[in-house]
Amino acid sequence: MKRSLFIVTILVFTFSALQAQITSPGADASDETQYPVFPETDSIYIFCSNDSTIDVAALTATTELAGTKNWLWEKYNNESASFESYFEESTDAATSEIDALADGCFRITITQGATTEVHRAWVFNNWMYAGGKVTVSDCEHFVIDGEMKSAVLTYYDLNTNAPVFVNKDVQVEWLEDGDRIASVLNLTVYDPPAENTNYTLRVYDKFGCDAQSDITYESIVTKASFTASPMSGEAPLDVTFTNNSENGTPGYFEWFFYRDLNEIKKDAEESEEPVDSIMLVAYDDAPFYTYENSGIYMVRLVSKHLSDTLTCADTAYLEDYIEVDTSDIAIPNVFTPNGDGVNDEFVVVFKSLQRLEISIFNRWGRRVHYWESGDVRGFDDTWTETVWDGRIGGRYASPGVYFYDVVSLGRDGKRKKEHGFVHLFREKD
C-alpha cells in the first residue's frame, strides 16, 4: 500500500502544473494508456480487490477555476463507442468526487461561463481469487490442485473502439512457513511432512494486487526416528531405546535387532545361502533390551501410520553401532590384608564375562582358596569382585607369595586360562 500511495503522489505532482486534472488518491497503482490510434494518453488507476462483486474505484477532479462551476461526469460506453452522462453537479468547490465506480473510462467536463476544461481517466477494479484443495495423498507424495481467477483489464481506443488489454503479468507461488517453494499452480510435494502443514497459494501481478489461500495438508505419513542409551559398555549391556518417531500409530512399531556384525560376516563367508542377520523382532513403542554377549550390533525401526485407506511406513537405522565390550580380566599382583582399609582384599577386575573360576595356591601347590561365579551379570560398568580376603580356614594367611589359576568364559565366547602370582603383605605402615 505504501508503494501505491507513492506512485499516486508522483502523479499528482506531475500534473500540478495543469489547470485541472483527474486523480485517484485511493488507487493502489497506476499506469498509462497505449492507444493504437487515439493520439492522447490517459491515466489508468488500479484498485486491488478480492471481491469481484464490489466496485471500489474512485476518482477526484480538481480545478483552479474559482466560483460556481458545473461538473459533468460521463462514462464511456464501448458498445455505442460514445460517452454517456454519469453524474452532474454545480458547486463552487475546487473538487468533485465519484466513487464505487465500475471499470471504465470517465470524462469530466468543468464549465464556468465560456471556460471549459475536459479530462479523462480509466479505472479498474483489479480483483483476484486463489484457492485449492488436496486431490491426491499417498505415502510418497500429495498433490494440491490450485485455482486462480483474475480480472481482465480492458480499455478501448477512443478513435476506433478497438480493445486493448492491460498486461498484468500475473504469477503464482506456493509458500510453506513463509518460504517460497514453487511457482506453479498445481503443487506436488514428495516425501510429505509427518505433521499437518499449511501451504499458501498466492496469486499476484505487477500492480501489487494479490490473493492468498491457505490449504491444509493432513498428514498420513510417519517419520521413523529413535535413539539408544548407552551405546557401549560391557556385557550384559542394558540398553533403553527412545522412540522419537513422528505421527506413528501406537502399537504399530517394529524393532529389528541384528546379530553381531562379526558373526554375520563370518556366516556369510562360510555359507552360500543367504544369511539371516536378524536376532530378534520386537513389537513395542519403546523397548528395553539386554545384550547378553559381546559384539557390534545394529538396530532398525519401522514406524507405521494407519489411516482409513492406507498404511504408510518409514524406516530408520541407529546412527551408529551399539558396541558391547569383549571380555577382559585384570588380576593384581599384590594385596595387604592388614585391616587398615587399604588394599585389604584380593580384588579382580573384569568385564563381559559369563563365568569365572579362581584358585589360589600356596608355594607348595596346595589350594588354599577357591572362588567362582557361573552367571556374572548385571553390572553397569567394569565389575570388581573380592575373590579372597587373605584368610585360610578363618585364619590370616601367612605373608608371602601365592599363585593363582584363572579360568574364564567371556560373553564373546572366548575361554581364557591365566596363571600368575600375588604378594601378600601383612605389615602396617
Side-chain angles (χ1 to χ4, degrees):
M1 182 61 71
K2 292 182 179 179
R3 179 183 175 187
S4 301
L5 291 174
F6 179 69
I7 295 174
V8 171
T9 303
I10 292 176
L11 289 171
V12 172
F13 178 79
T14 302
F15 290 103
S16 62
L18 301 177
Q19 288 187 334
Q21 60 178 323
I22 295 180
T23 61
S24 185
D28 295 290
S30 65
D31 203 349
E32 290 187 349
T33 58
Q34 297 180 9
Y35 295 121
V37 177
F38 193 70
E40 299 180 22
T41 299
D42 292 324
S43 296
I44 298 174
Y45 295 106
I46 308 294
F47 295 80
C48 299
S49 173
N50 295 128
D51 191 338
S52 61
T53 64
I54 299 177
D55 297 324
V56 296
L59 289 173
T60 300
T62 62
T63 181
E64 295 180 358
L65 295 175
T68 302
K69 299 164 287 293
N70 187 68
W71 308 77
L72 174 62
W73 289 95
E74 298 172 292
K75 184 180 180 183
Y76 183 74
N77 185 338
N78 62 288
E79 293 184 357
S80 63
S82 62
F83 281 91
E84 299 175 351
S85 178
Y86 182 82
F87 173 73
E88 185 175 9
E89 65 177 347
S90 180
T91 69
D92 58 0
T95 62
S96 178
E97 299 179 1
I98 51 175
D99 57 16
L101 305 178
D103 297 352
C105 181
F106 291 84
R107 183 172 66 184
I108 182 71
T109 301
I110 308 171
T111 304
Q112 186 184 55
T115 304
T116 300
E117 298 175 354
V118 180
H119 301 281
R120 293 178 306 273
W122 290 83
V123 296
F124 290 105
N125 296 279
N126 188 25
W127 57 267
M128 287 187 169
Y129 168 80
K133 61 180 180 179
V134 177
T135 58
V136 176
S137 180
D138 58 33
C139 299
E140 282 73 39
H141 75 297
F142 66 89
V143 177
I144 303 178
D145 285 344
E147 181 183 3
M148 60 158 288
K149 297 178 182 179
S150 178
V152 178
L153 310 185
T154 307
Y155 62 92
Y156 297 87
D157 188 292
L158 298 181
N159 267 0
T160 65
N161 202 37
V164 182
F165 298 98
V166 178
N167 178 21
K168 296 170 55 175
D169 190 20
V170 179
Q171 300 185 44
V172 299
E173 64 179 2
W174 284 97
L175 306 174
E176 180 183 359
D177 295 330
D179 297 326
R180 179 172 177 161
I181 60 173
S183 57
V184 294
L185 185 59
N186 296 324
L187 177 67
T188 300
V189 176
Y190 294 94
D191 190 21
E195 59 183 5
N196 295 349
T197 305
N198 287 330
Y199 294 87
T200 300
L201 173 62
R202 178 173 176 256
V203 181
Y204 63 98
D205 63 16
K206 71 177 184 180
F207 298 115
C209 300
D210 73 346
Q212 299 185 21
S213 178
D214 291 331
I215 297 94
T216 299
Y217 162 70
E218 296 184 0
S219 181
I220 62 170
V221 302
T222 179
K223 298 294 182 184
S225 176
F226 69 101
T227 57
S229 180
M231 291 291 292
S232 63
E234 66 177 290
L237 181 65
D238 295 332
V239 179
T240 299
F241 293 88
T242 302
N243 191 344
N244 302 314
S245 299
E246 299 178 57
N247 206 30
T249 301
Y252 287 86
F253 296 98
E254 298 179 4
W255 300 82
F256 295 84
F257 295 88
Y258 286 78
R259 297 165 52 207
D260 173 28
L261 179 61
N262 295 320
E263 288 186 0
I264 296 173
K265 291 180 178 179
K266 181 180 178 181
D267 290 351
E269 293 172 353
E270 297 176 351
S271 175
E272 296 180 356
E273 299 296 327
V275 175
D276 185 5
S277 60
I278 303 299
M279 177 172 55
L280 172 71
V281 180
Y283 302 90
D284 199 338
D285 289 354
F288 173 89
Y289 187 75
T290 300
Y291 288 89
E292 297 284 351
N293 300 314
S294 303
I296 301 174
Y297 299 94
M298 175 52 63
V299 181
R300 171 166 57 102
L301 168 62
V302 176
S303 174
K304 297 181 179 180
H305 177 87
L306 277 63
S307 58
D308 294 338
T309 58
L310 291 172
T311 297
C312 296
D314 187 52
T315 299
Y317 287 85
L318 200 59
E319 291 186 356
D320 202 353
Y321 291 99
I322 293 175
E323 297 187 14
V324 185
D325 296 337
T326 57
S327 61
D328 192 18
I329 185 169
I331 302 173
N333 58 12
V334 62
F335 79 115
T336 58
N338 54 21
D340 64 356
V342 180
N343 200 26
D344 280 335
E345 298 174 331
F346 183 60
V347 177
V348 175
V349 180
F350 55 86
K351 63 180 179 181
S352 297
L353 291 185
Q354 182 174 342
R355 181 177 178 81
L356 178 65
E357 297 180 49
I358 298 179
S359 298
I360 308 294
F361 301 89
N362 62 18
R363 70 182 67 184
W364 296 282
R366 175 175 171 264
R367 189 167 74 174
V368 298
H369 185 73
Y370 176 76
W371 184 93
E372 71 170 337
S373 177
D375 187 21
V376 182
R377 62 184 298 114
F379 316 125
D380 293 333
D381 297 307
T382 299
W383 181 247
T384 61
E385 181 67 47
T386 299
V387 298
W388 189 28
D389 61 1
R391 297 172 184 266
I392 301 175
R395 296 182 177 183
Y396 287 115
S398 300
V401 177
Y402 292 82
F403 301 88
Y404 60 80
D405 284 341
V406 176
V407 179
S408 64
L409 173 62
R411 292 185 180 271
D412 49 10
K414 296 180 180 179
R415 296 180 181 273
K416 294 182 180 181
K417 292 184 178 181
E418 298 186 32
H419 308 278
F421 62 89
V422 58
H423 291 274
L424 188 157
F425 295 100
R426 185 76 64 190
E427 294 81 3
K428 296 184 179 181
D429 294 336

